[in-house]
Amino acid sequence: MVTLLGRSPDPHSLAWSPDGAWIAYVAENARYLVDWNIAPSSLWLVPTTGGAPTRLTTSGTLDASPTWAPDSRRVLFTSNRGGTRDIYQLNLDGRGRAVTDPVRVTTGLNASLISLSADGRELAYSVATNRSNIWSVALPNTGSVSSRAAELVTSDKETIESIGVSADGQWLIFDSDRAGVQQIFRRPLGGGTLQQITRGSAPTFSASISPDSRFIAFHTIANGVRRAFVASIEGGDQPVQVSRGVGPDERNPVWSPDGSRLAWQMLESGSANAASAVEVATRSPSEWGAIKRVEVPAIQMQAAWLGGGTLLGRDLLNRRLLAVNIDRASEPPRDIARGLVIENMPVGQGVISTDGRTLLIRNRLGIWMLPGGGGVPRQVVRFDDPLHPIGLYARNFAMHAGRLYFTLQDPQSNIWVAPVTGLSK
């Protein structure tokens, strides 16, 4: 028999208290267990007899991996609320309510997952590092090329998620945690001095370069929500928020081919991979104007321009790639892959090459290419190196002047055991 205990968005990492009365768990950002994603999550508690869940943490940071002390009144968990991931302790009363704010019990540990022994005397923890750098291959004229043949473009100890190449071919743009927290950087495409564009304590991701190569758009996570901004590619100026700030998640802004508009995804809380809508802002020479919401029934909208007023959409039920004309609402979405269905193919973001002629779609298996106006997809890159997998969710690929750029990961993890005092019954 299955009993419903409570409802929460994206629950995971359940931990049963030793006295059998409570289950602690994490709500949202289950991707953390797959690729150490740093999106916000929170700790919750529900009685094992069922009832309304109680939220234990509200910081808007990453709180994960709860484990109980033997007395069932103390919970340890990992959090990045202080910067680096560390272990925190939360004290509860007999009714499962927090009686103190979380107390930091380690410094600089960078723990990923933790587990306390039944007697509370030993703690096992993992430390995961997921380095990723940019690689590049020449676009093959026919067939596909293995990611094993790619050439290393960046080689620092950092994690890069999203990348872009300016239309003039001068700049490689990417986000990186090399400064401690993810920020946007630029480097001459052919190599040279690295320059930091954005700064601050809020993680910043998903840079998109304007067609005139003068501005970048990106989203920042602050107070647990994402907002879309625009800044000069030179850096220095205060970024301007373009999204309205009304949804829990406004992410992945992308410039239209003529640079007059900016589109970003609107995601609802708990729908980490499904865009409920796209919003589009129009830019006059000096300021941003009206914002238009685009929502099409049964279609997952992508912030990816196919030209003019057309955005990319995905019919998840029928596995089709669609072109959605946002300027002509009465025009039905158009199948741009000519009905061809490829297993696991299209997932993730689509991007247009810097020449505006080619659409690229990426998933865990490789990169597919088809004409921007539609056609038959052709796989051009195979991600078949088990030691260097692709980052599945990041917008981490681009095409310029006959070369494909993408990030590959170098995931590593170790397990440690440490003695603990003060937690035994």
Side-chain angles (χ1 to χ4, degrees):
M1 184 179 76
V2 177
T3 301
L4 177 64
L5 299 181
R7 298 182 185 274
S8 288
D10 195 17
H12 60 92
S13 303
L14 280 65
W16 206 305
S17 65
D19 64 5
W22 306 97
I23 294 177
Y25 64 95
V26 180
E28 301 195 345
N29 192 21
R31 275 182 47 197
Y32 174 74
L33 302 175
V34 178
D35 57 11
W36 314 114
N37 182 51
I38 68 168
S41 58
S42 54
L43 230 60
W44 292 71
L45 196 69
V46 66
T48 55
T49 54
T54 300
R55 184 167 184 162
L56 299 178
T57 62
T58 59
S59 65
T61 55
L62 169 67
D63 297 336
S65 192
T67 186
W68 290 87
D71 61 5
S72 298
R73 294 296 179 267
R74 290 169 287 181
V75 177
L76 300 184
F77 64 99
T78 63
S79 177
N80 65 356
R81 62 185 57 213
T84 303
R85 280 193 308 262
D86 267 301
I87 299 176
Y88 289 75
Q89 178 178 314
L90 192 62
N91 299 328
L92 309 177
D93 63 18
R95 290 188 287 178
R97 298 177 303 184
V99 296
T100 62
D101 291 333
V103 177
R104 189 173 188 167
V105 296
T106 66
T107 300
L109 195 63
N110 198 29
S112 305
L113 301 174
I114 61 173
S115 179
L116 192 65
S117 62
D119 61 8
R121 297 180 184 275
E122 288 188 302
L123 179 80
Y125 65 95
S126 64
V127 177
T129 58
N130 193 20
R131 302 298 184 195
S132 62
N133 275 282
I134 301 173
W135 300 69
S136 175
V137 295
L139 180 66
N141 292 324
T142 59
S144 61
V145 62
S146 169
S147 60
R148 299 170 190 261
E151 301 172 7
L152 196 59
V153 177
T154 65
S155 58
D156 293 306
K157 292 182 178 180
E158 59 189 330
T159 298
I160 297 172
E161 288 200 8
S162 63
I163 63 176
V165 178
S166 61
D168 60 13
Q170 292 191 34
W171 297 107
L172 177 65
I173 305 289
F174 55 91
D175 61 46
S176 168
D177 65 354
R178 61 186 298 127
V181 64
Q182 213 86 6
Q183 295 294 330
I184 308 296
F185 295 81
R186 70 172 181 171
R187 197 203 75 175
L189 185 60
T193 303
L194 189 72
Q195 301 172 35
Q196 186 169 344
I197 299 176
T198 63
R199 301 178 185 275
S201 58
T204 300
F205 299 91
S206 198
S208 171
I209 312 171
S210 62
D212 61 9
S213 304
R214 296 176 55 207
F215 299 95
I216 59 167
F218 53 88
H219 72 251
T220 293
I221 303 177
N223 299 317
V225 295
R226 292 173 175 83
R227 300 291 180 251
F229 290 81
V230 168
S232 166
I233 198 171
E234 301 289 339
D237 295 337
Q238 183 70 21
V240 175
Q241 182 173 326
V242 180
S243 64
R244 294 185 293 175
V246 297
D249 201 337
E250 301 163 349
R251 67 166 70 183
N252 299 329
V254 178
W255 296 90
S256 64
D258 63 2
S260 67
R261 291 188 278 189
L262 193 71
W264 59 88
Q265 288 178 292
M266 296 285 292
L267 277 71
E268 302 302 329
S269 179
S271 58
N273 301 311
S276 58
V278 167
E279 290 196 338
V280 180
T282 301
R283 184 178 66 163
S284 67
S286 59
E287 62 183 10
W288 290 95
I291 293 177
K292 177 180 181 179
R293 184 178 177 92
V294 181
E295 197 166 6
V296 183
I299 293 178
Q300 183 189 82
M301 295 298 298
Q302 305 285 316
W305 293 91
L306 303 177
T310 304
L311 288 171
L312 181 67
R314 293 197 292 141
D315 178 350
L316 299 180
L317 179 62
N318 299 303
R319 303 294 302 276
R320 296 183 302 157
L321 276 177
L322 303 171
V324 180
N325 193 316
I326 65 173
D327 294 329
R328 294 195 290 271
S330 61
E331 182 177 299
R334 177 170 52 89
D335 190 339
I336 61 172
R338 296 183 182 172
L340 182 65
V341 176
I342 298 179
E343 183 64 23
N344 291 325
M345 204 275 315
V347 301
Q349 292 287 334
V351 300
I352 287 285
S353 61
T354 53
D355 63 9
R357 299 176 182 175
T358 305
L359 172 64
L360 304 172
I361 300 291
R362 173 198 56 79
N363 71 354
R364 71 175 76 242
L365 302 179
I367 297 176
W368 277 259
M369 181 183 73
L370 66 157
V376 178
R378 174 172 74 93
Q379 187 176 14
V380 290
V381 175
R382 306 186 310 276
F383 295 135
D384 54 5
D385 184 353
L387 297 180
H388 294 92
I390 187 72
L392 179 59
Y393 296 102
R395 300 172 50 149
N396 58 352
F397 62 120
M399 177 179 169
H400 176 77
R403 294 197 69 85
L404 293 164
Y405 298 84
F406 45 86
T407 65
L408 295 175
Q409 301 179 78
D410 182 19
Q412 312 230 349
S413 181
N414 289 294
I415 297 176
W416 300 75
V417 176
V420 178
T421 58
L423 287 182
S424 59
K425 257 188 174 179

